[in-house]
Amino acid sequence: MIKRFFFSITFLFFIASCGSVHYLPVNDDQLKGNLKKHITILSSDAFEGRETGTAGETKASEYIVQEFKKAGLKPNGDIGFLQPFNFTAGAQYGSSTQLIINSTIYKSETDFVPLPYSSSNVVTGYITNVQYGITDAKNNRNDYNGKINISKKIFLIETGTPDGNEPHGKFSDWLDLRKKIDLAITHGALAVIFINSDTLIDDPKPDWKNHISPSSIPVIFAKKNVALVLKTSVITNCTVGAEINKIEKRGHNVIGFINNKSPNTVIVGAHYDHLGFGEAGSLYRGAPAIHNGADDNASGVAALIELADFVKKSSLKKNNYLFIAFSGEEKGLLGSEYYADISPV
């Protein structure tokens, strides 16, 4: 069995710079110049912020492959140096996505939004309010107690808990919306409409990137104005529909290998993707603009490239070395998770 050890890029670069200077094939000025060159190129506008699944990411991966080749690393991906992985970048809602309450038609994304837990389906029925949708014998709470004839109805459920959003509260396990949905399904729910009456907690986001598998029923989140209608009006008829078309894209890790025929392999990693034009994941709120990402993480990739070159030319032969430039970090550690899932133990 090959043992693998993972070290942070910062720690290894410190060792290389301070502990083993006599192996370094370049002087300090040249090293600084190389690092500056890599950072300048990768964070330039030409790379368009290196968002995973875009032309900018492809251009960045090509640059890293070129530098790994120069350093003498061997390809260790699925396609040369590249390790492709697929991911869900978002979703588009089809014409069947709808919410109609007492003949009033509400607008998707403006008034409500399907959640990733949702199936693509359209149902019509009566509303039943099951509060937080919790059944918890340990804490003596059952929001379904006394509810009769609720099968084949649309369940209205609060996203929070009686403890609010407290991660260490008695009901913290019930912050998991999937748990509430699964319980609702066992009680015969046709669909689930989540609302949020607690102003101290955030509304759920339709995050399509987190590998959430859909349930068997439509699941939507109704925003403030619609939530008020659902809580205070007499609902005689409600139609909930979701038509979800996921947007699938492909990212690429870049993997180079130094094979010293050792039973142990040291893995050195840094992510090379960034936020692209800042549409998602950025604190910037202006018009779309290139997020160059010099410190996040062109600088880490620059160190990765120079370490690869240093180790290859050094007398460090007791271990094999695997250098990985990960993509998808900004979208939830997608590239590193993919590598960890499929790599041999």
Side-chain angles (χ1 to χ4, degrees), residues 194-230:
F194 281 110
I195 59 173
N196 179 18
S197 301
D198 190 338
T199 58
L200 297 179
I201 65 175
D202 293 332
D203 293 341
K205 300 294 190 298
D207 186 351
W208 301 96
K209 302 184 290 293
N210 285 336
H211 313 299
I212 296 172
S213 58
S215 67
S216 58
I217 61 174
V219 179
I220 68 171
F221 174 74
K223 299 183 181 181
K224 300 298 183 185
N225 60 321
V226 186
L228 185 62
V229 171
L230 289 165

PDB file of all heavy atoms in Angstrom, residues 194-230:
ATOM      1  N   PHE A 194     -41.220  26.082   2.163  1.00  0.00           N
ATOM      2  CA  PHE A 194     -40.508  26.607   3.328  1.00  0.00           C
ATOM      3  C   PHE A 194     -40.706  28.119   3.408  1.00  0.00           C
ATOM      4  O   PHE A 194     -40.750  28.815   2.379  1.00  0.00           O
ATOM      5  CB  PHE A 194     -39.014  26.306   3.234  1.00  0.00           C
ATOM      6  CG  PHE A 194     -38.640  24.899   3.614  1.00  0.00           C
ATOM      7  CD1 PHE A 194     -38.200  23.994   2.658  1.00  0.00           C
ATOM      8  CD2 PHE A 194     -38.727  24.478   4.934  1.00  0.00           C
ATOM      9  CE1 PHE A 194     -37.852  22.706   3.001  1.00  0.00           C
ATOM     10  CE2 PHE A 194     -38.379  23.184   5.297  1.00  0.00           C
ATOM     11  CZ  PHE A 194     -37.944  22.298   4.335  1.00  0.00           C
ATOM     12  N   ILE A 195     -40.835  28.611   4.633  1.00  0.00           N
ATOM     13  CA  ILE A 195     -40.856  30.047   4.889  1.00  0.00           C
ATOM     14  C   ILE A 195     -39.894  30.334   6.033  1.00  0.00           C
ATOM     15  O   ILE A 195     -39.472  29.419   6.758  1.00  0.00           O
ATOM     16  CB  ILE A 195     -42.270  30.547   5.253  1.00  0.00           C
ATOM     17  CG1 ILE A 195     -42.799  29.838   6.506  1.00  0.00           C
ATOM     18  CG2 ILE A 195     -43.224  30.376   4.078  1.00  0.00           C
ATOM     19  CD1 ILE A 195     -44.114  30.395   7.017  1.00  0.00           C
ATOM     20  N   ASN A 196     -39.539  31.608   6.200  1.00  0.00           N
ATOM     21  CA  ASN A 196     -38.626  31.999   7.273  1.00  0.00           C
ATOM     22  C   ASN A 196     -39.198  33.214   7.996  1.00  0.00           C
ATOM     23  O   ASN A 196     -39.156  34.328   7.491  1.00  0.00           O
ATOM     24  CB  ASN A 196     -37.245  32.319   6.712  1.00  0.00           C
ATOM     25  CG  ASN A 196     -36.268  32.767   7.791  1.00  0.00           C
ATOM     26  OD1 ASN A 196     -36.488  32.534   8.976  1.00  0.00           O
ATOM     27  ND2 ASN A 196     -35.193  33.423   7.386  1.00  0.00           N
ATOM     28  N   SER A 197     -39.740  32.972   9.172  1.00  0.00           N
ATOM     29  CA  SER A 197     -40.322  34.057   9.970  1.00  0.00           C
ATOM     30  C   SER A 197     -39.333  34.651  10.962  1.00  0.00           C
ATOM     31  O   SER A 197     -39.657  35.611  11.666  1.00  0.00           O
ATOM     32  CB  SER A 197     -41.553  33.541  10.731  1.00  0.00           C
ATOM     33  OG  SER A 197     -42.522  33.047   9.836  1.00  0.00           O
ATOM     34  N   ASP A 198     -38.143  34.086  11.047  1.00  0.00           N
ATOM     35  CA  ASP A 198     -37.133  34.537  11.999  1.00  0.00           C
ATOM     36  C   ASP A 198     -36.191  35.520  11.312  1.00  0.00           C
ATOM     37  O   ASP A 198     -35.389  35.134  10.452  1.00  0.00           O
ATOM     38  CB  ASP A 198     -36.357  33.331  12.539  1.00  0.00           C
ATOM     39  CG  ASP A 198     -35.454  33.682  13.708  1.00  0.00           C
ATOM     40  OD1 ASP A 198     -35.089  34.858  13.850  1.00  0.00           O
ATOM     41  OD2 ASP A 198     -35.123  32.767  14.489  1.00  0.00           O
ATOM     42  N   THR A 199     -36.273  36.771  11.683  1.00  0.00           N
ATOM     43  CA  THR A 199     -35.458  37.808  11.025  1.00  0.00           C
ATOM     44  C   THR A 199     -33.983  37.702  11.375  1.00  0.00           C
ATOM     45  O   THR A 199     -33.149  38.377  10.755  1.00  0.00           O
ATOM     46  CB  THR A 199     -35.962  39.211  11.414  1.00  0.00           C
ATOM     47  OG1 THR A 199     -35.915  39.358  12.844  1.00  0.00           O
ATOM     48  CG2 THR A 199     -37.393  39.421  10.939  1.00  0.00           C
ATOM     49  N   LEU A 200     -33.639  36.856  12.350  1.00  0.00           N
ATOM     50  CA  LEU A 200     -32.239  36.732  12.770  1.00  0.00           C
ATOM     51  C   LEU A 200     -31.489  35.647  12.010  1.00  0.00           C
ATOM     52  O   LEU A 200     -30.280  35.491  12.191  1.00  0.00           O
ATOM     53  CB  LEU A 200     -32.166  36.442  14.270  1.00  0.00           C
ATOM     54  CG  LEU A 200     -32.730  37.534  15.182  1.00  0.00           C
ATOM     55  CD1 LEU A 200     -32.625  37.112  16.650  1.00  0.00           C
ATOM     56  CD2 LEU A 200     -32.011  38.865  14.956  1.00  0.00           C
ATOM     57  N   ILE A 201     -32.183  34.879  11.182  1.00  0.00           N
ATOM     58  CA  ILE A 201     -31.489  33.837  10.419  1.00  0.00           C
ATOM     59  C   ILE A 201     -31.667  34.082   8.932  1.00  0.00           C
ATOM     60  O   ILE A 201     -32.634  34.702   8.485  1.00  0.00           O
ATOM     61  CB  ILE A 201     -31.973  32.423  10.805  1.00  0.00           C
ATOM     62  CG1 ILE A 201     -33.440  32.210  10.432  1.00  0.00           C
ATOM     63  CG2 ILE A 201     -31.785  32.177  12.289  1.00  0.00           C
ATOM     64  CD1 ILE A 201     -33.921  30.798  10.680  1.00  0.00           C
ATOM     65  N   ASP A 202     -30.709  33.616   8.167  1.00  0.00           N
ATOM     66  CA  ASP A 202     -30.706  33.835   6.719  1.00  0.00           C
ATOM     67  C   ASP A 202     -31.706  32.918   6.027  1.00  0.00           C
ATOM     68  O   ASP A 202     -31.973  31.798   6.477  1.00  0.00           O
ATOM     69  CB  ASP A 202     -29.312  33.567   6.142  1.00  0.00           C
ATOM     70  CG  ASP A 202     -28.293  34.577   6.623  1.00  0.00           C
ATOM     71  OD1 ASP A 202     -28.685  35.719   6.935  1.00  0.00           O
ATOM     72  OD2 ASP A 202     -27.096  34.223   6.690  1.00  0.00           O
ATOM     73  N   ASP A 203     -32.222  33.398   4.919  1.00  0.00           N
ATOM     74  CA  ASP A 203     -33.065  32.554   4.076  1.00  0.00           C
ATOM     75  C   ASP A 203     -32.214  31.473   3.419  1.00  0.00           C
ATOM     76  O   ASP A 203     -31.018  31.692   3.140  1.00  0.00           O
ATOM     77  CB  ASP A 203     -33.732  33.383   2.980  1.00  0.00           C
ATOM     78  CG  ASP A 203     -34.746  34.378   3.535  1.00  0.00           C
ATOM     79  OD1 ASP A 203     -35.187  34.188   4.686  1.00  0.00           O
ATOM     80  OD2 ASP A 203     -35.095  35.333   2.818  1.00  0.00           O
ATOM     81  N   PRO A 204     -32.775  30.311   3.150  1.00  0.00           N
ATOM     82  CA  PRO A 204     -32.000  29.278   2.435  1.00  0.00           C
ATOM     83  C   PRO A 204     -31.700  29.725   1.022  1.00  0.00           C
ATOM     84  O   PRO A 204     -32.506  30.386   0.364  1.00  0.00           O
ATOM     85  CB  PRO A 204     -32.939  28.067   2.458  1.00  0.00           C
ATOM     86  CG  PRO A 204     -34.301  28.638   2.610  1.00  0.00           C
ATOM     87  CD  PRO A 204     -34.149  29.873   3.450  1.00  0.00           C
ATOM     88  N   LYS A 205     -30.522  29.392   0.566  1.00  0.00           N
ATOM     89  CA  LYS A 205     -30.095  29.759  -0.788  1.00  0.00           C
ATOM     90  C   LYS A 205     -30.230  28.552  -1.720  1.00  0.00           C
ATOM     91  O   LYS A 205     -29.941  27.424  -1.319  1.00  0.00           O
ATOM     92  CB  LYS A 205     -28.636  30.215  -0.777  1.00  0.00           C
ATOM     93  CG  LYS A 205     -28.365  31.428   0.113  1.00  0.00           C
ATOM     94  CD  LYS A 205     -29.049  32.670  -0.412  1.00  0.00           C
ATOM     95  CE  LYS A 205     -28.579  33.925   0.322  1.00  0.00           C
ATOM     96  NZ  LYS A 205     -28.889  33.909   1.763  1.00  0.00           N
ATOM     97  N   PRO A 206     -30.652  28.779  -2.945  1.00  0.00           N
ATOM     98  CA  PRO A 206     -30.719  27.664  -3.908  1.00  0.00           C
ATOM     99  C   PRO A 206     -29.333  27.313  -4.431  1.00  0.00           C
ATOM    100  O   PRO A 206     -28.970  27.620  -5.573  1.00  0.00           O
ATOM    101  CB  PRO A 206     -31.618  28.223  -5.019  1.00  0.00           C
ATOM    102  CG  PRO A 206     -31.423  29.705  -4.957  1.00  0.00           C
ATOM    103  CD  PRO A 206     -31.168  30.044  -3.519  1.00  0.00           C
ATOM    104  N   ASP A 207     -28.536  26.693  -3.580  1.00  0.00           N
ATOM    105  CA  ASP A 207     -27.156  26.356  -3.912  1.00  0.00           C
ATOM    106  C   ASP A 207     -27.139  25.006  -4.628  1.00  0.00           C
ATOM    107  O   ASP A 207     -27.314  23.958  -4.009  1.00  0.00           O
ATOM    108  CB  ASP A 207     -26.312  26.296  -2.637  1.00  0.00           C
ATOM    109  CG  ASP A 207     -24.843  26.102  -2.929  1.00  0.00           C
ATOM    110  OD1 ASP A 207     -24.499  25.849  -4.103  1.00  0.00           O
ATOM    111  OD2 ASP A 207     -24.029  26.192  -1.999  1.00  0.00           O
ATOM    112  N   TRP A 208     -26.922  25.048  -5.926  1.00  0.00           N
ATOM    113  CA  TRP A 208     -26.991  23.839  -6.743  1.00  0.00           C
ATOM    114  C   TRP A 208     -25.664  23.104  -6.815  1.00  0.00           C
ATOM    115  O   TRP A 208     -25.552  22.079  -7.483  1.00  0.00           O
ATOM    116  CB  TRP A 208     -27.461  24.194  -8.150  1.00  0.00           C
ATOM    117  CG  TRP A 208     -28.803  24.834  -8.123  1.00  0.00           C
ATOM    118  CD1 TRP A 208     -29.079  26.170  -8.129  1.00  0.00           C
ATOM    119  CD2 TRP A 208     -30.069  24.170  -8.036  1.00  0.00           C
ATOM    120  NE1 TRP A 208     -30.438  26.373  -8.054  1.00  0.00           N
ATOM    121  CE2 TRP A 208     -31.065  25.165  -8.001  1.00  0.00           C
ATOM    122  CE3 TRP A 208     -30.440  22.821  -7.998  1.00  0.00           C
ATOM    123  CZ2 TRP A 208     -32.422  24.855  -7.924  1.00  0.00           C
ATOM    124  CZ3 TRP A 208     -31.784  22.524  -7.916  1.00  0.00           C
ATOM    125  CH2 TRP A 208     -32.762  23.529  -7.876  1.00  0.00           C
ATOM    126  N   LYS A 209     -24.629  23.611  -6.131  1.00  0.00           N
ATOM    127  CA  LYS A 209     -23.291  23.067  -6.282  1.00  0.00           C
ATOM    128  C   LYS A 209     -22.952  21.994  -5.255  1.00  0.00           C
ATOM    129  O   LYS A 209     -21.913  21.377  -5.328  1.00  0.00           O
ATOM    130  CB  LYS A 209     -22.262  24.191  -6.192  1.00  0.00           C
ATOM    131  CG  LYS A 209     -22.442  25.292  -7.219  1.00  0.00           C
ATOM    132  CD  LYS A 209     -21.351  26.315  -7.139  1.00  0.00           C
ATOM    133  CE  LYS A 209     -21.422  27.161  -5.902  1.00  0.00           C
ATOM    134  NZ  LYS A 209     -22.597  28.040  -5.866  1.00  0.00           N
ATOM    135  N   ASN A 210     -23.817  21.801  -4.257  1.00  0.00           N
ATOM    136  CA  ASN A 210     -23.432  20.965  -3.117  1.00  0.00           C
ATOM    137  C   ASN A 210     -23.916  19.525  -3.193  1.00  0.00           C
ATOM    138  O   ASN A 210     -24.166  18.887  -2.172  1.00  0.00           O
ATOM    139  CB  ASN A 210     -23.903  21.612  -1.819  1.00  0.00           C
ATOM    140  CG  ASN A 210     -23.033  22.805  -1.439  1.00  0.00           C
ATOM    141  OD1 ASN A 210     -21.879  22.892  -1.850  1.00  0.00           O
ATOM    142  ND2 ASN A 210     -23.573  23.721  -0.691  1.00  0.00           N
ATOM    143  N   HIS A 211     -24.080  19.001  -4.384  1.00  0.00           N
ATOM    144  CA  HIS A 211     -24.375  17.577  -4.588  1.00  0.00           C
ATOM    145  C   HIS A 211     -25.632  17.132  -3.840  1.00  0.00           C
ATOM    146  O   HIS A 211     -25.684  16.027  -3.298  1.00  0.00           O
ATOM    147  CB  HIS A 211     -23.193  16.697  -4.148  1.00  0.00           C
ATOM    148  CG  HIS A 211     -21.866  17.172  -4.653  1.00  0.00           C
ATOM    149  ND1 HIS A 211     -21.576  17.270  -5.991  1.00  0.00           N
ATOM    150  CD2 HIS A 211     -20.750  17.578  -4.003  1.00  0.00           C
ATOM    151  CE1 HIS A 211     -20.339  17.718  -6.143  1.00  0.00           C
ATOM    152  NE2 HIS A 211     -19.818  17.926  -4.960  1.00  0.00           N
ATOM    153  N   ILE A 212     -26.639  17.993  -3.770  1.00  0.00           N
ATOM    154  CA  ILE A 212     -27.883  17.636  -3.093  1.00  0.00           C
ATOM    155  C   ILE A 212     -28.764  16.849  -4.051  1.00  0.00           C
ATOM    156  O   ILE A 212     -29.087  17.317  -5.138  1.00  0.00           O
ATOM    157  CB  ILE A 212     -28.620  18.895  -2.605  1.00  0.00           C
ATOM    158  CG1 ILE A 212     -27.782  19.623  -1.547  1.00  0.00           C
ATOM    159  CG2 ILE A 212     -30.005  18.537  -2.044  1.00  0.00           C
ATOM    160  CD1 ILE A 212     -28.330  20.972  -1.150  1.00  0.00           C
ATOM    161  N   SER A 213     -29.142  15.658  -3.649  1.00  0.00           N
ATOM    162  CA  SER A 213     -30.013  14.856  -4.500  1.00  0.00           C
ATOM    163  C   SER A 213     -31.458  15.292  -4.280  1.00  0.00           C
ATOM    164  O   SER A 213     -31.866  15.585  -3.150  1.00  0.00           O
ATOM    165  CB  SER A 213     -29.855  13.369  -4.190  1.00  0.00           C
ATOM    166  OG  SER A 213     -30.135  13.121  -2.828  1.00  0.00           O
ATOM    167  N   PRO A 214     -32.262  15.344  -5.336  1.00  0.00           N
ATOM    168  CA  PRO A 214     -33.648  15.800  -5.183  1.00  0.00           C
ATOM    169  C   PRO A 214     -34.501  14.779  -4.445  1.00  0.00           C
ATOM    170  O   PRO A 214     -34.239  13.576  -4.480  1.00  0.00           O
ATOM    171  CB  PRO A 214     -34.117  15.979  -6.631  1.00  0.00           C
ATOM    172  CG  PRO A 214     -33.249  15.059  -7.431  1.00  0.00           C
ATOM    173  CD  PRO A 214     -31.917  15.052  -6.736  1.00  0.00           C
ATOM    174  N   SER A 215     -35.529  15.260  -3.763  1.00  0.00           N
ATOM    175  CA  SER A 215     -36.498  14.384  -3.127  1.00  0.00           C
ATOM    176  C   SER A 215     -37.554  13.998  -4.158  1.00  0.00           C
ATOM    177  O   SER A 215     -37.422  14.296  -5.344  1.00  0.00           O
ATOM    178  CB  SER A 215     -37.145  15.095  -1.931  1.00  0.00           C
ATOM    179  OG  SER A 215     -37.939  16.185  -2.390  1.00  0.00           O
ATOM    180  N   SER A 216     -38.626  13.379  -3.694  1.00  0.00           N
ATOM    181  CA  SER A 216     -39.674  12.905  -4.612  1.00  0.00           C
ATOM    182  C   SER A 216     -40.795  13.910  -4.804  1.00  0.00           C
ATOM    183  O   SER A 216     -41.760  13.631  -5.523  1.00  0.00           O
ATOM    184  CB  SER A 216     -40.263  11.589  -4.083  1.00  0.00           C
ATOM    185  OG  SER A 216     -40.797  11.779  -2.777  1.00  0.00           O
ATOM    186  N   ILE A 217     -40.701  15.089  -4.162  1.00  0.00           N
ATOM    187  CA  ILE A 217     -41.772  16.082  -4.236  1.00  0.00           C
ATOM    188  C   ILE A 217     -41.198  17.461  -4.552  1.00  0.00           C
ATOM    189  O   ILE A 217     -40.013  17.718  -4.320  1.00  0.00           O
ATOM    190  CB  ILE A 217     -42.562  16.146  -2.907  1.00  0.00           C
ATOM    191  CG1 ILE A 217     -41.639  16.551  -1.753  1.00  0.00           C
ATOM    192  CG2 ILE A 217     -43.258  14.810  -2.629  1.00  0.00           C
ATOM    193  CD1 ILE A 217     -42.352  16.776  -0.423  1.00  0.00           C
ATOM    194  N   PRO A 218     -42.024  18.392  -5.059  1.00  0.00           N
ATOM    195  CA  PRO A 218     -41.553  19.772  -5.234  1.00  0.00           C
ATOM    196  C   PRO A 218     -41.254  20.428  -3.887  1.00  0.00           C
ATOM    197  O   PRO A 218     -42.010  20.245  -2.917  1.00  0.00           O
ATOM    198  CB  PRO A 218     -42.739  20.464  -5.925  1.00  0.00           C
ATOM    199  CG  PRO A 218     -43.548  19.366  -6.525  1.00  0.00           C
ATOM    200  CD  PRO A 218     -43.378  18.199  -5.601  1.00  0.00           C
ATOM    201  N   VAL A 219     -40.177  21.186  -3.828  1.00  0.00           N
ATOM    202  CA  VAL A 219     -39.790  21.903  -2.605  1.00  0.00           C
ATOM    203  C   VAL A 219     -39.382  23.313  -3.005  1.00  0.00           C
ATOM    204  O   VAL A 219     -38.467  23.492  -3.811  1.00  0.00           O
ATOM    205  CB  VAL A 219     -38.619  21.207  -1.886  1.00  0.00           C
ATOM    206  CG1 VAL A 219     -38.234  21.996  -0.622  1.00  0.00           C
ATOM    207  CG2 VAL A 219     -38.964  19.769  -1.522  1.00  0.00           C
ATOM    208  N   ILE A 220     -40.067  24.305  -2.455  1.00  0.00           N
ATOM    209  CA  ILE A 220     -39.740  25.690  -2.772  1.00  0.00           C
ATOM    210  C   ILE A 220     -39.571  26.497  -1.496  1.00  0.00           C
ATOM    211  O   ILE A 220     -40.006  26.080  -0.418  1.00  0.00           O
ATOM    212  CB  ILE A 220     -40.811  26.350  -3.670  1.00  0.00           C
ATOM    213  CG1 ILE A 220     -42.124  26.517  -2.890  1.00  0.00           C
ATOM    214  CG2 ILE A 220     -41.031  25.541  -4.949  1.00  0.00           C
ATOM    215  CD1 ILE A 220     -43.165  27.350  -3.629  1.00  0.00           C
ATOM    216  N   PHE A 221     -38.942  27.672  -1.637  1.00  0.00           N
ATOM    217  CA  PHE A 221     -38.880  28.633  -0.540  1.00  0.00           C
ATOM    218  C   PHE A 221     -39.664  29.857  -0.948  1.00  0.00           C
ATOM    219  O   PHE A 221     -39.403  30.457  -1.994  1.00  0.00           O
ATOM    220  CB  PHE A 221     -37.441  29.015  -0.197  1.00  0.00           C
ATOM    221  CG  PHE A 221     -37.348  30.117   0.822  1.00  0.00           C
ATOM    222  CD1 PHE A 221     -37.638  29.859   2.151  1.00  0.00           C
ATOM    223  CD2 PHE A 221     -37.013  31.404   0.451  1.00  0.00           C
ATOM    224  CE1 PHE A 221     -37.585  30.870   3.107  1.00  0.00           C
ATOM    225  CE2 PHE A 221     -36.945  32.422   1.392  1.00  0.00           C
ATOM    226  CZ  PHE A 221     -37.235  32.158   2.721  1.00  0.00           C
ATOM    227  N   ALA A 222     -40.644  30.243  -0.121  1.00  0.00           N
ATOM    228  CA  ALA A 222     -41.465  31.424  -0.390  1.00  0.00           C
ATOM    229  C   ALA A 222     -40.893  32.623   0.362  1.00  0.00           C
ATOM    230  O   ALA A 222     -40.647  32.550   1.575  1.00  0.00           O
ATOM    231  CB  ALA A 222     -42.906  31.169   0.036  1.00  0.00           C
ATOM    232  N   LYS A 223     -40.683  33.711  -0.341  1.00  0.00           N
ATOM    233  CA  LYS A 223     -40.077  34.891   0.263  1.00  0.00           C
ATOM    234  C   LYS A 223     -41.100  35.674   1.090  1.00  0.00           C
ATOM    235  O   LYS A 223     -42.265  35.307   1.164  1.00  0.00           O
ATOM    236  CB  LYS A 223     -39.431  35.742  -0.825  1.00  0.00           C
ATOM    237  CG  LYS A 223     -38.328  34.973  -1.565  1.00  0.00           C
ATOM    238  CD  LYS A 223     -37.611  35.818  -2.596  1.00  0.00           C
ATOM    239  CE  LYS A 223     -36.539  34.996  -3.315  1.00  0.00           C
ATOM    240  NZ  LYS A 223     -35.802  35.784  -4.324  1.00  0.00           N
ATOM    241  N   LYS A 224     -40.637  36.758   1.703  1.00  0.00           N
ATOM    242  CA  LYS A 224     -41.376  37.424   2.778  1.00  0.00           C
ATOM    243  C   LYS A 224     -42.832  37.733   2.440  1.00  0.00           C
ATOM    244  O   LYS A 224     -43.745  37.429   3.210  1.00  0.00           O
ATOM    245  CB  LYS A 224     -40.657  38.726   3.172  1.00  0.00           C
ATOM    246  CG  LYS A 224     -39.226  38.546   3.662  1.00  0.00           C
ATOM    247  CD  LYS A 224     -39.147  37.692   4.920  1.00  0.00           C
ATOM    248  CE  LYS A 224     -37.705  37.593   5.414  1.00  0.00           C
ATOM    249  NZ  LYS A 224     -37.575  36.673   6.568  1.00  0.00           N
ATOM    250  N   ASN A 225     -43.080  38.390   1.286  1.00  0.00           N
ATOM    251  CA  ASN A 225     -44.454  38.798   0.987  1.00  0.00           C
ATOM    252  C   ASN A 225     -45.369  37.598   0.794  1.00  0.00           C
ATOM    253  O   ASN A 225     -46.522  37.587   1.241  1.00  0.00           O
ATOM    254  CB  ASN A 225     -44.472  39.688  -0.258  1.00  0.00           C
ATOM    255  CG  ASN A 225     -43.919  39.008  -1.492  1.00  0.00           C
ATOM    256  OD1 ASN A 225     -42.936  38.269  -1.409  1.00  0.00           O
ATOM    257  ND2 ASN A 225     -44.523  39.253  -2.644  1.00  0.00           N
ATOM    258  N   VAL A 226     -44.852  36.549   0.155  1.00  0.00           N
ATOM    259  CA  VAL A 226     -45.654  35.348  -0.063  1.00  0.00           C
ATOM    260  C   VAL A 226     -45.834  34.589   1.252  1.00  0.00           C
ATOM    261  O   VAL A 226     -46.918  34.054   1.531  1.00  0.00           O
ATOM    262  CB  VAL A 226     -45.010  34.439  -1.117  1.00  0.00           C
ATOM    263  CG1 VAL A 226     -45.918  33.265  -1.437  1.00  0.00           C
ATOM    264  CG2 VAL A 226     -44.688  35.224  -2.376  1.00  0.00           C
ATOM    265  N   ALA A 227     -44.786  34.561   2.064  1.00  0.00           N
ATOM    266  CA  ALA A 227     -44.878  33.882   3.359  1.00  0.00           C
ATOM    267  C   ALA A 227     -45.986  34.497   4.211  1.00  0.00           C
ATOM    268  O   ALA A 227     -46.727  33.786   4.897  1.00  0.00           O
ATOM    269  CB  ALA A 227     -43.540  33.971   4.082  1.00  0.00           C
ATOM    270  N   LEU A 228     -46.098  35.831   4.157  1.00  0.00           N
ATOM    271  CA  LEU A 228     -47.148  36.504   4.927  1.00  0.00           C
ATOM    272  C   LEU A 228     -48.534  36.073   4.458  1.00  0.00           C
ATOM    273  O   LEU A 228     -49.428  35.821   5.280  1.00  0.00           O
ATOM    274  CB  LEU A 228     -46.985  38.021   4.793  1.00  0.00           C
ATOM    275  CG  LEU A 228     -47.926  38.883   5.642  1.00  0.00           C
ATOM    276  CD1 LEU A 228     -47.684  38.618   7.131  1.00  0.00           C
ATOM    277  CD2 LEU A 228     -47.733  40.362   5.315  1.00  0.00           C
ATOM    278  N   VAL A 229     -48.711  35.957   3.144  1.00  0.00           N
ATOM    279  CA  VAL A 229     -49.990  35.491   2.594  1.00  0.00           C
ATOM    280  C   VAL A 229     -50.278  34.077   3.076  1.00  0.00           C
ATOM    281  O   VAL A 229     -51.402  33.765   3.510  1.00  0.00           O
ATOM    282  CB  VAL A 229     -49.966  35.544   1.053  1.00  0.00           C
ATOM    283  CG1 VAL A 229     -51.199  34.850   0.458  1.00  0.00           C
ATOM    284  CG2 VAL A 229     -49.880  36.981   0.563  1.00  0.00           C
ATOM    285  N   LEU A 230     -49.286  33.222   3.004  1.00  0.00           N
ATOM    286  CA  LEU A 230     -49.475  31.821   3.384  1.00  0.00           C
ATOM    287  C   LEU A 230     -49.812  31.664   4.866  1.00  0.00           C
ATOM    288  O   LEU A 230     -50.564  30.769   5.250  1.00  0.00           O
ATOM    289  CB  LEU A 230     -48.208  31.024   3.059  1.00  0.00           C
ATOM    290  CG  LEU A 230     -47.942  30.787   1.573  1.00  0.00           C
ATOM    291  CD1 LEU A 230     -46.492  30.328   1.355  1.00  0.00           C
ATOM    292  CD2 LEU A 230     -48.906  29.746   1.004  1.00  0.00           C
TER     293      LEU A 230
END
